[in-house]
């Protein structure tokens, strides 16, 4: 997995988080598969098509916080992640 300070897409802009579709019990293989990029200030009450319940690994950038909910439309229990 990239370190929190390394979160930059190919065009060089800053990212707040990366969510990965694949997971593994081996750390070096845990950030794999499809990737969802979360930009600073993004507000996603609904994940893009095909991502609901799919993210298995995540990395949150420095000076960012990612809040996720157990149900759609920001309902249910929430949990916050930081770098």
């Amino acid at each position: 997995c990239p370190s929190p300070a390394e979160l930059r897409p190919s065009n060089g802009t800053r990212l707040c988080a990366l969510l990965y579709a694949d997971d593994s019990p081996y750390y070096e293989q845990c950030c794999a598969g499809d990737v969802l990029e979360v930009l600073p200030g993004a507000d996603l009450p609904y994940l893009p098509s095909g991502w609901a319940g799919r993210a298995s690994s995540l990395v949150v950038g420095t000076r960012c916080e990612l809040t996720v909910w157990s149900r759609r439309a920001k309902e249910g229990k929430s949990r916050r992640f930081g770098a």
Side-chain angles (χ1 to χ4, degrees), residues 27-68:
Y27 181 78
E28 63 275 356
Q29 298 172 12
C30 70
C31 294
D34 293 334
V35 178
L36 177 62
E37 296 179 344
V38 181
L39 298 173
D43 184 15
L44 303 171
Y46 299 94
L47 287 174
S49 179
W51 274 94
R54 188 169 175 215
S56 62
S57 300
L58 61 90
V59 177
V60 179
T62 55
R63 295 179 294 152
C64 285
E65 183 176 84
L66 177 70
T67 303
V68 297

Side-chain angles (χ1 to χ4, degrees), residues 6-28:
E6 297 174 325
L7 294 191
R8 298 203 184 280
S10 57
N11 67 3
T13 60
R14 186 170 173 262
L15 290 173
C16 264
L18 292 176
L19 282 67
Y20 295 89
D22 295 343
D23 193 12
S24 171
Y26 301 104
Y27 181 78
E28 63 275 356

